């Protein structure tokens, strides 16, 4: 027997009204205002009001290498391509999966078959109606090429049942099937079948989706221009995160590539840009003091420092525990992020706003600031004055500041430390060898489930563990999040016991908006539909 998952309109409306009435701040709150003073984490402005039409000029820090959403986990690819393409399912504002191009879906009792019933009348930007053949071609390519597909959907295949029904058949049950289909990184975007058919090793050649905006022009190293798609088929439910009703409320979107932050800051201040992404916390006050601008805070990601558990001194867990014992996250977070409004102090890999995956297991080992315990563990580890190499970069100031504080903490308990500083590409190259380094600070983009973090699985230098693999596999094959709950807590405890890394906390991302902007959202990245420019 199949279980059917639908979102009847009445239930959606009731749910929307209930959530809109919540009084608490943070991500669960609807209609929150962008703010530089409350310390809350708004992810959605007041629903867009005012005029439609006009242009949004966005000062964006990097140019994407492609607009093929299947093959890249690059942030720029995600941020721009999600305006063009859509998926079968997406995430609401609480990171719960809801239908998008699918009208509804069903899951078989054995969790091996996912049946998607497509919305009818949805058109691609080339005028063709979306049908099952397009979904089959796209999903099978995503399974073959994407990091999610290759890691989690081996042997899976999408098949057409009728022109508006697709079945995704898995080889083994996978708890996060829908979550990954809804994940924008890398997106299981639905392309026309002919776009998939003509793709080669370099990727797709035509950038055609069903989204509210279509590609108009890509002028290399200058801008990408997206234009409102007049025949866009919007859902009828109220807007909810990355789902519900989506509208292109401006006629044109320009992503203008400006790598230098001071130039983006000058551009938003002068009015050249309406939105400027990736503003550092050190410059936030300049935005807050300008009556023509707004500050918008959103989840930025998890930050910690990672140990080389496969090569060198830190193969010894006692040494990892020693460094963890002296950790004082208040000192580190204050140094790196200046003000509590720009970070969340928590031992959990997932933010409290996502209770399915939030866990406080092992929190007693978080931010111990216990020098005596650290020294005892150093002695038990047999540490004898060897030099510890911390690798970092000034290209990301927060990571560099973390490295400096960590160096000071370790020197305070008698550890000899050398700080090796590289540019970002060189750092990545050196870390990728898995040798020659002991510790590096790193931040990872915000994920609503910790399963989706890229550091599991023993990448170069990172911990390889049968126990860790068993826990991840147990979570993967659980029937439900509720069934996986003991394993989620056990894995969180494992992190603080075996210490493959020491988590510091979660960061927030600063976006600068013109005061004329309303409706802007950040759901795993900026969203520009339902956004109005009243200029």
């Amino acid at each position: 027997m199949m279980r059917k998952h639908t979102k009847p309109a009445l239930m959606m409306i009731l749910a929307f009204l209930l959530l809109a009435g919540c009084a608490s701040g943070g991500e669960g709150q609807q209609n929150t205002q962008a703010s530089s003073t409350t310390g809350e984490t708004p992810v959605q402005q007041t629903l867009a009001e005012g005029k439609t039409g006009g242009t949004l000029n966005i000062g964006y820090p990097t140019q994407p290498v492609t607009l093929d959403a299947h093959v890249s986990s690059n942030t720029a690819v995600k941020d721009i391509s999600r305006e063009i393409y859509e998926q079968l399912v997406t995430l609401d504002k609480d990171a719960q999966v809801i239908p998008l191009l699918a009208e509804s879906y069903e899951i078989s009792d054995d969790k091996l078959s996912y049946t998607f019933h497509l919305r009818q009348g949805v058109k691609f930007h080339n005028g063709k109606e979306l049908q099952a053949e397009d979904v089959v071609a796209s999903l099978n390519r995503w399974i073959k090429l994407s990091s999610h597909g290759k890691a989690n959907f081996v042997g899976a295949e999408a098949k057409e049942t009728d022109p508006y029904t697709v079945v995704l058949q898995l080889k083994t049950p996978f708890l996060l099937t829908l979550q990954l289909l809804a994940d924008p990184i890398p997106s299981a975007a639905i392309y026309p079948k002919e776009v998939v058919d003509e793709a080669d090793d370099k990727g797709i050649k035509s950038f055609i989706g069903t989204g509210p905006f279509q590609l108009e022009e890509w002028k290399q190293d200058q801008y990408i221009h997206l234009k409102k798609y007049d025949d866009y088929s919007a859902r009828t439910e109220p807007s909810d995160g990355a789902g519900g009703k989506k509208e292109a409320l401006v006629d044109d979107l320009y992503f203008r590539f400006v790598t230098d932050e001071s130039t983006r800051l000058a551009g938003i201040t002068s009015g050249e840009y309406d939105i400027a992404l990736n503003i550092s916390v050190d410059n936030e006050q300049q935005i807050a003091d300008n009556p023509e601008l707004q500050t918008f805070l959103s989840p930025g990601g998890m930050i910690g420092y990672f140990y080389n558990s496969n090569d060198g001194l830190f193969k010894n867990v006692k040494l990892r525990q020693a460094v963890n014992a002296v950790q004082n996250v208040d000192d580190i977070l204050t140094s790196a992020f200046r003000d509590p409004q720009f970070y969340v102090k928590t031992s959990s890999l997932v933010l409290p706003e996502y209770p399915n995956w939030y866990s406080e297991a092992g929190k007693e080992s978080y931010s111990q600031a216990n020098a005596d315990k650290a020294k005892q563990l150093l002695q038990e580890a047999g540490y004898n004055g060897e030099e510890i190499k911390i690798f970092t970069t000034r290209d990301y100031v927060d990571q560099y500041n973390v490295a400096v504080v960590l160096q000071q903490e370790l020197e305070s308990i008698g550890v000899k430390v050398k700080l090796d500083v590289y540019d970002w590409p060189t750092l990545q190259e050196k870390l990728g060898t898995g040798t020659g380094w002991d510790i590096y600070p790193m931040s990872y983009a915000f994920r609503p489930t910790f399963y989706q973090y890229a550091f599991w699985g023993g990448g170069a230098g990172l911990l390889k563990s049968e126990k860790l693999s068993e826990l991840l596999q147990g979570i993967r094959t659980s029937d439900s999040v509720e069934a996986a709950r003991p394993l989620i807590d056990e894995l969180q405890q494992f992190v603080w016991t075996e210490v493959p890394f020491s988590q510091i906390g979660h960061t927030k991302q600063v976006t600068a908006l013109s005061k004329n902007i309303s409706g802007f959202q950040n759901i795993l990245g900026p969203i520009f539909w339902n956004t109005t420019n009243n200029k």
Side-chain angles (χ1 to χ4, degrees):
M1 182 178 178
M2 310 278 271
R3 291 189 294 124
K4 191 169 185 178
H5 297 248
T6 59
K7 288 276 188 178
L10 178 59
M11 292 300 294
M12 286 292 292
I13 293 170
L14 290 173
F16 176 79
L17 292 174
L18 178 61
L19 291 167
C22 291
S24 61
E27 295 184 22
Q29 189 175 13
Q30 189 80 347
N31 295 341
T32 50
Q33 289 280 358
S35 169
S36 62
T37 57
T38 63
E40 297 173 349
T41 309
V43 294
Q44 180 171 351
Q45 286 188 291
T46 303
L47 294 178
E49 297 176 350
K51 77 170 191 179
T52 57
T55 299
L56 273 184
N57 282 297
I58 302 157
Y60 196 84
T62 55
Q63 178 174 230
V65 295
T66 177
L67 286 179
D68 187 347
H70 289 175
V71 300
S72 176
S73 297
N74 179 270
T75 298
V77 177
K78 177 259 297 179
D79 287 347
I80 299 174
S81 67
R82 71 192 309 192
E83 307 290 329
I84 302 171
Y85 314 118
E86 296 184 307
Q87 300 145 279
L88 290 174
V89 290
T90 190
L91 300 175
D92 69 12
K93 63 181 176 53
D94 297 319
Q96 300 300 308
V97 176
I98 54 175
L100 183 54
L101 288 176
E103 184 65 46
S104 62
Y105 57 84
E106 301 154 5
I107 307 171
S108 64
D109 288 344
D110 62 7
K111 307 290 193 299
L112 292 175
S113 297
Y114 288 70
T115 301
F116 297 93
H117 303 283
L118 306 182
R119 292 164 55 208
Q120 298 188 22
V122 175
K123 290 184 179 179
F124 286 105
H125 300 153
N126 61 4
K128 173 192 170 184
E129 185 188 15
L130 166 76
Q131 293 202 333
E133 64 174 11
D134 307 302
V135 176
V136 168
S138 298
L139 283 188
N140 287 335
R141 182 176 186 267
W142 178 81
I143 290 169
K144 180 181 177 182
L145 298 180
S146 75
S147 56
H148 281 337
K150 290 186 284 189
N152 300 294
F153 292 90
V154 175
E157 185 178 9
K159 295 181 179 178
E160 177 180 341
T161 301
D162 63 48
Y164 296 101
T165 307
V166 172
V167 176
L168 176 61
Q169 190 69 40
L170 307 183
K171 286 292 186 183
T172 58
F174 179 36
L175 174 64
L176 291 171
T177 294
L178 290 173
Q179 194 80 30
L180 296 194
L181 289 175
D183 194 340
I185 319 172
S187 170
I190 304 303
Y191 306 142
K193 179 178 182 296
E194 55 271 25
V195 168
V196 175
D197 289 343
E198 71 174 1
D200 58 21
D201 293 342
K202 296 181 180 178
I204 58 174
K205 300 175 181 176
S206 303
F207 307 115
I208 299 170
T210 59
F213 291 95
Q214 58 183 325
L215 179 65
E216 179 71 8
E217 183 183 15
W218 183 348
K219 196 168 184 62
Q220 286 290 330
D221 300 323
Q222 295 188 41
Y223 60 79
I224 285 179
H225 174 199
L226 304 185
K227 185 177 180 180
K228 175 181 179 179
Y229 178 45
D230 289 330
D231 290 331
Y232 176 66
S233 302
R235 296 190 70 92
T236 57
E237 303 94 331
S239 172
D240 186 358
K245 187 176 182 180
K246 298 159 61 173
E247 290 185 275
L249 296 179
V250 296
D251 294 332
D252 298 282
L253 282 181
Y254 281 89
F255 292 86
R256 300 190 182 276
F257 306 122
V258 186
T259 56
D260 180 62
E261 182 194 342
S262 61
T263 305
R264 294 198 301 279
L265 194 60
I268 188 78
T269 302
S270 68
E272 181 180 3
Y273 309 133
D274 304 298
I275 299 173
L277 276 295
N278 284 29
I279 300 298
S280 67
V281 296
D282 290 337
N283 288 321
E284 185 275 339
Q285 194 60 47
Q286 187 174 337
I287 303 299
D289 290 342
N290 188 331
E292 299 299 314
L293 302 177
Q294 314 171 65
T295 299
F296 189 93
L297 301 181
S298 54
M302 169 268 192
I303 188 166
Y305 38 87
F306 290 74
Y307 303 99
N308 192 334
S309 304
N310 292 323
D311 182 70
L313 294 172
F314 284 90
K315 291 172 68 175
N316 187 333
V317 66
K318 290 283 187 183
L319 199 56
R320 302 197 298 269
Q321 292 170 341
V323 176
N324 190 65
V326 77
Q327 177 198 60
N328 184 329
V329 300
D330 291 306
D331 288 348
I332 298 173
L333 288 169
T334 301
S335 172
F337 303 103
R338 186 169 58 83
D339 189 291
Q341 70 173 312
F342 301 125
Y343 61 81
V344 179
K345 180 183 174 183
T346 176
S347 63
S348 173
L349 291 165
V350 174
L351 290 167
E353 288 85 348
Y354 303 96
N356 284 345
W357 295 84
Y358 176 78
S359 174
E360 296 185 348
K363 68 177 183 180
E364 62 278 5
S365 296
Y366 175 63
S367 192
Q368 300 171 75
N370 189 333
D372 291 338
K373 180 179 178 180
K375 291 176 181 177
Q376 179 63 36
L377 286 165
L378 285 177
Q379 186 175 0
E380 294 175 14
Y383 176 71
N384 194 30
E386 296 92 339
E387 184 177 78
I388 303 299
K389 292 183 179 178
I390 301 176
F391 277 24
T392 190
T393 178
R394 283 193 177 87
D395 291 356
Y396 290 90
V397 175
D398 53 351
Q399 294 177 26
Y400 176 75
N401 289 342
V402 167
V404 171
V405 176
L406 176 61
Q407 180 186 27
Q408 294 167 351
E409 287 183 340
L410 293 180
E411 289 175 343
S412 74
I413 57 172
V415 175
K416 185 179 180 181
V417 182
K418 182 173 185 286
L419 206 61
D420 284 347
V421 183
Y422 302 98
D423 61 67
W424 177 247
T426 303
L427 176 67
Q428 289 189 303
E429 181 181 336
K430 288 187 173 294
L431 295 178
T433 66
T435 61
W437 56 271
D438 295 302
I439 306 175
Y440 65 85
M442 188 67 67
S443 56
Y444 285 87
F446 165 71
R447 316 303 292 153
T449 75
F450 61 63
Y451 189 94
Q452 293 166 264
Y453 282 121
F455 48 70
W456 304 118
L462 302 182
L463 181 67
K464 292 183 173 67
S465 161
E466 288 186 9
K467 180 62 176 177
L468 177 59
S469 297
E470 288 174 7
L471 290 170
L472 290 170
Q473 180 65 11
I475 293 169
R476 171 191 168 89
T477 55
S478 293
D479 284 343
S480 64
V481 173
E482 291 76 16
R485 188 67 232 181
L487 296 174
I488 292 171
D489 288 333
E490 193 174 345
L491 191 146
Q492 181 77 61
Q493 178 68 57
F494 175 91
V495 167
W496 288 113
T497 302
E498 294 299 318
V499 207
F501 54 87
S502 291
Q503 176 171 310
I504 300 167
H506 292 261
T507 66
K508 294 185 182 179
Q509 190 175 65
V510 179
T511 299
L513 309 177
S514 158
K515 70 174 184 179
N516 298 309
I517 300 300
S518 60
F520 177 77
Q521 299 181 77
N522 189 304
I523 305 293
L524 298 181
I527 288 175
F528 302 102
W529 61 80
N530 297 349
T531 300
T532 292
N533 186 356
N534 291 304
K535 182 163 63 179

